Amino acid sequence: MKITSNLILIIISLLFFQMQGKAQSVECGTDYIHKNRMQTDSAYRKQILTLESQVESSTQNHANNKTASTLYTIPVVVNVIHLGEPIGKGSNISDIQIQQAIAGLNARFRNANGLGVDVELEFCLASKDPSGNSTNGINRVNGSSVSNYTAYGVTPKGNTCSGAVETTIKDLSRWPVSDYYNIWVVSKICNGSFVGYASYPVGGLYDGLVIVSTSMTSTSGTLPHEVGHGFFLYHTFNGDGGNVSCPVDTNCLINGDHVCDTPPHKQGDCGTTNPCSSAGVWDNSRYNYMAYCPLVNRFTQGQKDRIRATVMAAPRASLLNSIVCGTLRINEISSHNLFSIFPNPAQSLINVKADVKLLGSSYVVYDNTGKAILKGIITSEHTIIELGNLSGGIYLFSLGGNLKQKFNVIKE
């Protein structure tokens, strides 16, 4: 599966320079939904602010500690909610179109055109469904019987348009968000008002992104844009008051789009100069996948740092432990046969249940930078390891030098 993914990526990268003339769609519903929930949902607001604090701290630490990165893989399920058409017609888009869309998404996140940075994040269509059966990562459901769906499409939460209720549509096909990133392909959103929207990373049963079938293509900028939101990127013009004023930029980590190498600007500012600021690289904003300008072609280092900090925190961190893409490596299979770690996610301690043949083996816990932070010896078949003040994120437990498992730490 990896070889196929890389081959597709190479093909897409060769074609990618021809894609730069494609304009970024501006009908993104994410801001509308996010602002509404921030004002009306106190639990949502608390989760966003907590995650912002974690991401800010992580990105600051990264700036002071440049280390080698790791390629992370995110498993995806594409839920096609069609209107009863044959596969390949209308809203029931073909497998090939979906596979090409994911390849195009990867080309952008891996910087295939060389104009931005490699985020070192890839997305793979799941090869196992929640029951453990083989799948191509695409699930199709006829949604035409849902009230108002055929006429108006889906209505995002908090919107008053006449489409089908969002949760009703998503309930037709949704896979566990702890193991899959859900993408819902729909006929329309609010009768054509939006082409896509995404949930910011706060988890929940309906976490994921929604995109109209006509935008689920390899050349559309909508999919990478909405996935960017799904991994906690704001619009580059965030804070412009609806294209009214230049965003505040007193502290670039907490103002505007919370990224320091994307100069603040208004939504409509896409010309050769930035009316809001002469500082920074203007092309990083006006050509950014998170802008509304045409000719978008890049993510920046600051956005990469923010995405990767988000991946290491709950709820996205659980996706890194998912085994629904491809086949486990031999040492991973043997690891799970010889020892287990629980609870996972953990908070203050982990239990290591080990085969008797591993007694006396040394263990090392590594953080996401590869730094060894805990060491010890397995002294019994059930060893309790205190985690102390480890921050939230993904850690690697290495036992005997060649047996490895990942575990999450989540802080309240």
Side-chain angles (χ1 to χ4, degrees):
M1 183 170 183
K2 197 64 164 180
I3 294 174
T4 302
S5 175
N6 289 339
L7 179 60
I8 293 174
L9 180 60
I10 291 171
I11 294 171
I12 291 294
S13 68
L14 292 175
L15 298 173
F16 199 78
F17 287 102
Q18 301 175 28
M19 302 178 189
Q20 302 312 305
K22 300 289 184 179
Q24 169 70 51
S25 294
V26 299
E27 301 89 359
C28 168
T30 303
D31 265 359
Y32 176 91
I33 298 164
H34 171 65
K35 290 176 181 177
N36 177 270
R37 294 194 67 183
M38 288 291 282
Q39 294 170 358
T40 62
D41 187 337
S42 59
Y44 175 85
R45 177 179 173 82
K46 181 179 178 180
Q47 286 177 289
I48 288 291
L49 295 177
T50 298
L51 183 58
E52 280 289 6
S53 178
Q54 293 174 341
V55 169
E56 180 187 348
S57 176
S58 179
T59 51
Q60 286 178 329
N61 290 338
H62 182 271
N64 296 324
N65 181 28
K66 297 294 183 182
T67 57
S69 296
T70 302
L71 175 62
Y72 295 132
T73 301
I74 304 298
V76 169
V77 57
V78 176
N79 308 286
V80 181
I81 313 300
H82 57 85
L83 298 176
E85 308 99 326
I87 295 177
K89 301 293 184 181
S91 62
N92 198 6
I93 57 177
S94 68
D95 289 359
I96 292 176
Q97 181 176 330
I98 292 170
Q99 291 160 357
Q100 289 176 340
I102 298 299
L105 174 68
N106 284 332
R108 289 163 170 87
F109 270 79
R110 297 305 310 276
N111 191 35
N113 65 0
L115 297 174
V117 301
D118 181 357
V119 179
E120 295 181 285
L121 194 70
E122 284 189 353
F123 301 85
C124 69
L125 287 166
S127 58
K128 292 182 180 179
D129 70 13
S131 298
N133 301 312
S134 296
T135 178
N136 63 355
I138 301 169
N139 197 38
R140 301 174 183 276
V141 180
N142 186 341
S144 60
S145 63
V146 177
S147 178
N148 292 330
Y149 183 61
T150 299
Y152 304 107
V154 64
T155 298
K157 183 177 181 179
N159 201 292
T160 57
C161 64
S162 301
V165 176
E166 177 185 28
T167 53
T168 302
I169 290 297
K170 289 184 174 181
D171 277 336
L172 294 175
S173 176
R174 56 178 173 84
W175 291 6
V177 299
S178 58
D179 294 315
Y180 305 86
Y181 185 72
N182 281 265
I183 295 175
W184 286 273
V185 176
V186 299
S187 59
K188 287 180 285 191
I189 303 171
C190 278
N191 199 27
S193 297
F194 306 115
V195 294
Y197 63 93
S199 312
Y200 283 119
V202 296
L205 296 176
Y206 303 99
D207 186 16
L209 73 83
V210 178
I211 186 170
V212 296
S213 58
T214 52
S215 290
M216 187 68 176
T217 67
S218 62
T219 57
S220 172
T222 302
L223 184 59
H225 181 98
E226 299 305 340
V227 170
H229 284 316
F231 285 79
F232 217 21
L233 293 186
Y234 295 112
H235 291 134
T236 53
F237 51 84
N238 192 52
D240 74 345
N243 203 32
V244 173
S245 58
C246 293
V248 175
D249 195 38
T250 305
N251 182 337
C252 58
L253 282 177
I254 62 174
N255 298 141
D257 66 349
H258 299 218
V259 174
C260 291
D261 58 5
T262 52
H265 69 111
K266 298 192 299 297
Q267 175 181 321
D269 294 336
C270 298
T272 56
T273 59
N274 182 5
C276 289
S277 175
S278 60
V281 178
W282 173 220
D283 285 356
N284 279 352
S285 289
R286 67 174 179 143
Y287 292 149
N288 200 283
Y289 293 125
M290 303 310 296
Y292 277 1
C293 300
L295 309 180
V296 293
N297 57 31
R298 73 190 64 187
F299 288 116
T300 69
Q301 181 64 49
Q303 290 175 315
K304 173 181 178 176
D305 293 343
R306 183 172 173 85
I307 289 171
R308 292 175 69 82
T310 299
V311 169
M312 298 303 296
R316 295 288 178 256
S318 67
L319 295 173
L320 300 182
N321 279 339
S322 178
I323 59 173
V324 299
C325 272
T327 305
L328 286 174
R329 294 186 296 272
I330 292 175
N331 70 324
E332 289 178 320
I333 296 173
S334 61
S335 292
H336 286 275
N337 288 339
L338 293 173
F339 78 95
S340 59
I341 297 173
F342 62 94
N344 188 7
Q347 291 185 341
S348 58
L349 59 83
I350 55 173
N351 297 266
V352 179
K353 187 175 181 180
D355 189 283
V356 65
K357 68 180 69 175
L358 293 175
L359 298 186
S361 299
S362 61
Y363 68 80
V364 184
V365 175
Y366 297 94
D367 66 13
N368 67 305
T369 70
K371 179 182 177 182
I373 53 177
L374 290 175
K375 296 181 180 181
I377 302 292
I378 296 297
T379 57
S380 72
E381 294 176 68
H382 185 177
T383 302
I384 297 176
I385 300 174
E386 299 286 345
L387 300 178
N389 60 351
L390 293 188
S391 58
I394 293 287
Y395 293 85
L396 180 67
F397 187 92
S398 176
L399 181 55
N402 61 353
L403 300 177
K404 299 177 175 65
Q405 288 187 37
K406 294 176 183 176
F407 67 94
N408 295 335
V409 173
I410 296 178
K411 295 297 184 181
E412 294 290 346

